[in-house]
Amino acid sequence: MGNSEVERDEPLTPAGRLFLRPEMNQIIHCIIGCKNPIDAAAVISEITNSVMIQHPRFSSLMVRNSRGREHWRKTQIDVDRHVIVVEDPVAGAGAADEEAVNDYVADLAVSSPLSPDKPLWEVHLLRAHNCIVFRIHHALGDGISLMSMLLECCRRADEPDLRPTISSVGTSSNSSSNRIIQRRKLWKVVVGMLMGLVFIVEFVLRSLWVKDRKTAVSGGAGVELWPRKLATAKFWLDDMKMVKEAVADATINDVLFGVISCGLSRYLDLRSPKALRDGVQITGVAMVNLRKQPGLQELSDMMKGNSGIRWGNKFGMLLLPVYYHQGGADPLQYVKRAKQMIDLKKQSLEAHFSYNIGYLAMSCFGPKVASWLNYRIVCNTTFTISNVIGPKEEIAIVGNPVKYMRVTNTSLPHAITMHMLSYAGRADMQILVAKDIVPDPQVLAKCFEDALHQMKEAATQE
């Protein structure tokens, strides 16, 4: 009997084991604001009958064998144990819904681990605020996996019988001759190998002693345990696209990192004017989807085990330097510098190197060493940033139209972590901060919003 149980257990992936380490224990919080009051019974019924309950990760316990190795073990789901219904407001009288929900999630980010005696997910229904908070352990999957799962369970608000559209990315045509194409491919391989070597050296140095200069927004070892605040920066995708069009061959990610660089410079000017020299480097850690097809995927395709788009954690890490510049600079210069830097990073295959280095460290030395390496890199850099594509159309959950979708993680040694999620023409970025280091995250959010507005104005004059 014992042997058959062991045979049914499925070992965790290296990334899953890493996210269960105490130093890197990561829970994803997906915050969904609804237009109408939430029917708790209807939500519980929907979850009970959803594909989520049938998914092997959402219906398994995380167990450890006699050698301490983690495995997934199938179990019976009691949905009532996973759904927490909060009837009363989660903040004092007079607090706005957004502020109340952000404070609630900020508290979860440091004080509420998921219980290991049930599958590692929960759903909190904040009925007084018409809000649903999904809490899902990162060991179950990354942002792309979990967003694909969520959209499988939702319907379009304008067409209740249809699922939301999954974005697909086509290939661009190229009229160049085969010989030129082959030369370009060869050149990319050579540059990628050389830049990859540079990255490996930088990765090792960041793991050991190289660190960002101390600023007003620096974190460090132990900061992941400090109390948090959460604020939301709100952008229109059309504004970001307008800025993108003003810079040749730019992408939305180039615009995002330009906004980050400009916004951080603005905030540091407010917090510590004249304390930094122009051009000081502030390094971010960015998470990059490594699946062969960018964007969201059909859940059925991800579950087939296709190596290129499979379910799980399939992302690499980029070390992205942005630079402090005093006020008065051309705002579009931030985007141009970000584009130049990101283009080099793409050529270097840095994200693929980081993924494979992490996999090698996990396989050869175990999760303790791999977690130490990741922890040191986070301690020696300044912020975390990720960007996930959400649905283009408005969606509904149990027939209840969704006003907004936002996402954040539990805390890290960084004093600032930022996660952007697009939804129906908007892009909201959740800014989770250590409040003893960044006491005014709403001011930081305003700095990012103002940066984009200034870039948009400059773009209209190009």
Side-chain angles (χ1 to χ4, degrees), residues 94-300:
D97 282 340
E98 180 177 298
E99 180 184 357
V101 172
N102 278 345
D103 287 348
Y104 182 84
V105 175
D107 185 57
L108 291 177
V110 288
S111 64
S112 300
L114 292 169
S115 175
D117 67 349
K118 62 184 181 183
L120 298 176
W121 59 273
E122 287 178 347
V123 180
H124 293 222
L125 306 182
L126 310 184
R127 297 197 67 214
H129 306 285
N130 294 346
C131 183
I132 303 173
V133 180
F134 286 86
R135 305 190 72 219
I136 302 165
H137 202 287
H138 219 317
L140 273 64
D142 58 17
I144 297 294
S145 296
L146 299 174
M147 186 55 61
S148 297
M149 166 68 77
L150 177 62
L151 296 189
E152 183 74 22
C153 300
C154 297
R155 294 295 179 266
R156 288 174 51 169
D158 58 346
E159 295 283 350
D161 295 330
L162 298 179
R163 289 193 297 108
T165 304
I166 300 294
S167 301
S168 59
V169 179
T171 57
S172 59
S173 61
N174 193 328
S175 59
S176 301
S177 69
N178 288 334
R179 181 176 296 179
I180 294 175
I181 292 172
Q182 291 302 322
R183 285 177 182 173
R184 287 177 179 171
K185 286 183 177 178
L186 179 60
W187 175 244
K188 284 185 177 181
V189 169
V190 172
V191 172
M193 291 177 66
L194 292 175
M195 295 296 293
L197 290 174
V198 172
F199 163 68
I200 291 173
V201 172
E202 184 182 10
F203 187 89
V204 171
L205 293 178
R206 282 282 174 178
S207 300
L208 298 176
W209 70 84
V210 174
K211 63 190 306 181
D212 281 354
R213 177 177 171 175
K214 189 79 172 175
T215 70
V217 295
S218 297
V223 170
E224 68 273 16
L225 303 176
W226 292 19
R228 299 275 144 170
K229 279 188 175 181
L230 186 61
T232 307
K234 301 170 185 175
F235 310 111
W236 288 103
L237 282 177
D238 283 345
D239 291 349
M240 301 187 84
K241 290 174 182 176
M242 185 179 297
V243 175
K244 177 176 77 76
E245 295 300 323
V247 178
D249 299 322
T251 66
I252 291 293
N253 276 334
D254 296 333
V255 176
L256 173 59
F257 285 107
V259 167
I260 297 298
S261 181
C262 184
L264 282 176
S265 293
R266 285 167 168 266
Y267 182 73
L268 289 169
D269 275 341
L270 293 173
R271 285 287 305 278
S272 50
K274 300 182 180 179
L276 297 176
R277 60 177 174 80
D278 207 59
V280 166
Q281 178 176 319
I282 304 166
T283 310
V285 177
M287 307 307 164
V288 180
N289 176 31
L290 295 182
R291 292 172 177 84
K292 290 180 180 178
Q293 297 178 14
L296 299 179
Q297 312 296 330
E298 292 284 355
L299 181 64
S300 57

Side-chain angles (χ1 to χ4, degrees), residues 19-39:
F19 283 127
L20 286 166
R21 291 290 306 169
E23 309 94 314
M24 299 297 295
N25 190 27
Q26 287 291 287
I27 300 168
I28 298 171
H29 296 118
C30 184
I31 307 161
I32 298 178
C34 298
K35 292 183 178 179
N36 303 320
I38 294 170
D39 184 337

Side-chain angles (χ1 to χ4, degrees), residues 14 17 69 356-367 369-370:
R17 296 182 69 199
R69 186 88 179 200
N356 288 311
I357 288 171
Y359 190 92
L360 184 65
M362 283 289 298
S363 302
C364 296
F365 305 108
V369 171

Side-chain angles (χ1 to χ4, degrees), residues 1-11 71-74:
M1 180 73 171
N3 289 339
S4 64
E5 279 189 355
V6 172
E7 289 172 1
R8 286 200 301 269
D9 291 350
E10 182 181 347
H71 290 75
W72 297 115
R73 178 172 296 170
K74 289 285 288 182

